[in-house]
Amino acid sequence: MELRLALLGCGNVGHALLEMVTEKEHDLLRRFDLRLSFTGGLTRSAGGWVAPEGLTARQVLSSGWPLGELPTGSVPFAGDGVAFAAACPADALVELTSLRPQTGEPAISHVRAALASGRHVVTANKGPIAHAYRDLRELAAEHGVSLRFESTVLDGTPIFNLADFTLPVTRILGFRGPLNSTSNFVLSQMMAGASVEDGVTAAQRAGVAEADPSYDLDGWDASVKAVVLANVLMDADLRPADVKRLKLGAQAMRTAVAALKPRATLKQMVEATRGADGHVEASVRLVPLPPGDAFAHLAGMETGLRLRTDTMGELTLIEGEGGPGQTAFGVLTDLITIVRGLAPSVRRGPPSGGLGR
Ligand SMILES: NC(=O)c1ccc[n+]([C@@H]2O[C@H](COP(=O)([O-])OP(=O)(O)OC[C@H]3O[C@@H](n4cnc5c(N)ncnc54)[C@H](OP(=O)(O)O)[C@@H]3O)[C@@H](O)[C@H]2O)c1
């Protein structure tokens, strides 16, 4: 079986995906009879290409694209990401463009164009799920295709797949966890005596913090993740601005570290619960954790999530250091889920000649 992929965005995660598909080529074939081919690629600055016959991940990598030449056997594609998502001769769009947390665009439009033209979508981009999940879920169902997004929270750690495939008839009642690695890395440094500024510099040197760390320290990254989790797992309809961000940022971190009791650990924590009126409320705040709290033991860049369920009580997931490799793995698991016909709204026949061949 061949699944033809259109790769929209090819930075750290796209490159890691090409490497992983190359490395796992034989396992994919042996375990799932699956060959992943690339029939197109597009980035903002490198432009696009299509190769209707399909290239292997190794062929795309060896071209050096998007930094080098177009892959051999491809022809240039002139349109933008939306045109590419709608027109690339592929069974699935792999959407790996940069996140725009305020609006989710243009990724929402990319995902919409692909679903509306009968293509499955796998994305690691939180924007479309945080801003337009209900609409996109309905569009996917209408067109009999799948929308998968395992890597949007905690990289490739199975959260949505866990809920979808291993927790039948289960209601997720709430969740909490330290979801933002940069804030918690900086807090660990501060608890060891560093200033906020030194902690941020160390996080930037370690490659986890952006040039402007306020997106992480002010709780926006955690808010976007909270919304993705709440909307998908608890059927909420929140947007990032609906999340209560309480006493966050550099000055609040200094104050909270100074006030920390001995043996306690400070983490930036996300929490969501369903109120008596049925609405889901989500928050991000700095929380002093007692030594007995499992999350208190997480090292700098580790992240975690505890689900409160009506069947299993509490379930806790902890991710060691994440990154593009783990994120690419989540994308790969989503692609495998689609070809195995496990995902909701999978079209049973071949969508456009590729899947099922
Ligand atoms: N890195 C991780 O570990 C991680 C973890 C979880 C989730 N994610 C999410 O995964 C996605 C990809 O992350 P990344 O680390 O690979 O980002 P990245 O290295 O910055 O790469 C982003 C890619 O998207 C392209 N792009 C951006 N805007 C575009 C547009 N409008 N049209 C076409 N291409 C566009 C960029 O092209 P140019 O370079 O030509 O501008 C680049 O190829 C992001 O949404 C991120 O939030 C990443």
Side-chain angles (χ1 to χ4, degrees):
M1 175 188 307
E2 179 186 16
L3 187 71
R4 301 170 308 156
L5 306 177
L7 187 58
L8 182 41
C10 187
N12 296 312
V13 178
H15 194 264
L17 179 68
L18 290 168
E19 286 186 332
M20 189 168 285
V21 170
T22 302
E23 189 190 321
K24 298 289 181 188
E25 185 182 0
H26 296 298
D27 291 312
L28 291 169
L29 209 53
R30 190 171 49 85
R31 294 281 307 279
F32 304 107
D33 185 29
L34 175 61
R35 195 161 70 80
L36 295 174
S37 68
F38 291 81
T39 49
L42 185 140
T43 80
R44 187 167 37 191
S45 49
W49 54 269
V50 289
E53 293 305 312
L55 303 176
T56 63
R58 187 178 282 104
Q59 286 171 314
V60 180
L61 275 176
S62 65
S63 72
W65 182 85
L67 300 177
E69 299 292 306
L70 293 190
T72 308
S74 70
V75 293
F77 179 88
D80 65 3
V82 174
F84 176 79
C88 183
D91 304 305
L93 177 76
V94 179
E95 215 287 351
L96 301 176
T97 66
S98 323
L99 169 68
R100 281 225 203 113
Q102 298 84 353
T103 63
E105 289 289 7
I108 294 174
S109 299
H110 297 159
V111 172
R112 195 170 273 139
L115 296 174
S117 58
R119 289 166 178 79
H120 305 292
V121 173
V122 173
T123 185
N125 190 328
K126 292 175 271 296
I129 311 305
H131 288 275
Y133 176 57
R134 287 191 178 194
D135 284 356
L136 296 174
R137 183 181 61 183
E138 275 168 32
L139 191 62
E142 199 181 305
H143 291 271
V145 289
S146 294
L147 170 63
R148 307 296 298 169
F149 41 81
E150 184 60 80
S151 292
T152 51
V153 182
L154 300 197
D155 311 311
T157 306
I159 297 171
F160 305 111
N161 288 321
L162 178 91
D164 278 352
F165 305 125
T166 65
L167 295 174
V169 300
T170 296
R171 292 183 66 203
I172 309 278
L173 306 171
F175 59 83
R176 73 189 277 266
L179 296 181
N180 179 256
S181 51
T182 300
S183 300
N184 290 316
F185 180 89
V186 174
L187 285 169
S188 314
Q189 300 277 315
M190 291 173 72
M191 284 180 281
S195 64
V196 178
E197 291 75 15
D198 289 347
V200 167
T201 306
Q204 285 164 339
R205 270 202 217 105
V208 284
E210 301 293 330
D212 173 9
S214 59
Y215 172 64
D216 294 303
L217 303 193
D218 293 353
W220 284 110
D221 172 73
S223 299
V224 176
K225 287 173 176 162
V227 166
V228 170
L229 291 168
N231 290 356
V232 177
L233 298 178
M234 300 176 73
D235 202 27
D237 194 17
L238 301 177
R239 297 294 175 271
D242 298 329
V243 177
K244 289 189 186 125
R245 292 178 307 108
L246 304 162
K247 293 191 184 157
L248 295 163
Q251 187 49 43
M253 288 162 76
R254 285 185 202 104
T255 308
V257 168
L260 203 58
K261 295 210 170 99
R263 299 184 66 232
T265 305
L266 195 65
K267 296 275 182 205
Q268 188 202 77
M269 298 286 285
V270 163
E271 185 151 9
T273 51
R274 195 180 293 281
D277 62 357
H279 285 99
V280 175
E281 293 205 339
S283 64
V284 184
R285 65 184 92 199
L286 298 175
V287 180
L289 302 177
D293 191 307
F295 293 138
H297 304 286
L298 298 195
M301 284 186 237
E302 292 176 335
T303 45
L305 177 69
R306 178 166 302 159
L307 301 176
R308 200 155 49 81
T309 75
D310 67 343
T311 54
M312 283 294 295
E314 292 192 335
L315 282 172
T316 304
L317 293 155
I318 289 174
E319 184 188 22
E321 232 175 88
Q326 287 79 359
T327 309
F329 174 69
V331 171
L332 186 59
T333 61
D334 282 341
L335 293 169
I336 293 170
T337 296
I338 289 171
V339 294
R340 292 174 83 191
L342 294 173
S345 300
V346 170
R347 189 199 305 248
R348 295 291 160 189
S352 51
L355 184 60
R357 263 192 285 168

